[in-house]
Amino acid sequence: LLPFFIEKPQAPVYVTEKKEVTSYIQENVALREAVEKVAKTVVGVKTKTKEGGILEGSGLIDTNDGFSVTLAELLPQGSDFAFYVDGQWPGYQVLKRDLKNNLALVRVEASSLHTAGFSDLERVKIGERVFLLGFDFSTTTPQLMVNEGIIKFFNKDLIQTNIFETASLSGSPLFNIEGNV
């Protein structure tokens, strides 16, 4: 046996090229950039009802001349409303309430507003990162707040996420990581 071990050929040595990827996208950087992109496309809604209650939520600025959409439940008849856009409390007009679909069309009196694009539903995937953007009115100056999660299920009529929506985020638009609604 000794001659067999001495004369046993060496195993071949294989050389494999190794490349390192030096550029990558950090998830938190992508989220931060998306939030910065769409922060000015959200309108804050604060309502004092005729019963003395307070309703808070958000909506989406749809056109740069102030047409915005929010939930009709945030704008009940006979209440006092205030809208917060880009650090200001502009005047407004409630143009239409659709109680059946719980939507309201409002025109805030501001110009040169920012808008966001819409996502292509053909490209939406389960597990995609999404976020809600709204305002916290508990301080003197409203503060931007974000709640993020992933898409659990979707079809043409419904997008279900794992986001726990607080009352102050009611009516907030849902954005993807690219900053599209």
Side-chain angles (χ1 to χ4, degrees), residues 9-28:
Q10 295 288 332
V13 176
Y14 297 101
V15 177
T16 313
E17 184 180 356
K18 181 180 177 184
K19 292 184 179 180
E20 290 186 37
V21 178
T22 56
S23 66
Y24 58 93
I25 298 174
Q26 290 183 333
E27 205 170 293
N28 58 343

Side-chain angles (χ1 to χ4, degrees), residues 24-35 129 148 177:
Y24 58 93
I25 298 174
Q26 290 183 333
E27 205 170 293
N28 58 343
V29 172
L31 178 63
R32 184 183 71 230
E33 289 174 355
V35 168
R129 184 163 305 277
E148 59 143 343
I177 203 74

Side-chain angles (χ1 to χ4, degrees), residues 84-160:
Y84 186 75
V85 178
D86 201 17
Q88 299 178 5
W89 297 91
Y92 63 89
Q93 286 180 294
V94 177
L95 301 174
K96 185 169 183 161
R97 288 182 184 88
D98 180 351
L99 299 177
K100 180 181 174 190
N101 293 305
N102 194 23
L103 292 172
L105 178 63
V106 178
R107 185 174 185 284
V108 292
E109 295 172 2
S111 59
S112 301
L113 296 172
H114 297 271
T115 60
F118 288 88
S119 183
D120 179 5
L121 270 178
E122 299 294 321
R123 293 183 43 204
V124 173
K125 304 284 184 220
I126 292 176
E128 182 177 342
R129 184 163 305 277
V130 291
F131 63 96
L132 292 173
L133 194 64
F135 289 96
D136 177 10
F137 289 100
S138 65
T139 59
T140 307
T141 303
Q143 299 296 310
L144 200 59
M145 60 188 290
V146 177
N147 198 342
E148 59 143 343
I150 60 169
I151 295 175
K152 292 172 57 175
F153 170 81
F154 76 96
N155 61 30
K156 67 181 180 92
D157 298 318
L158 173 72
I159 297 176
Q160 183 180 12

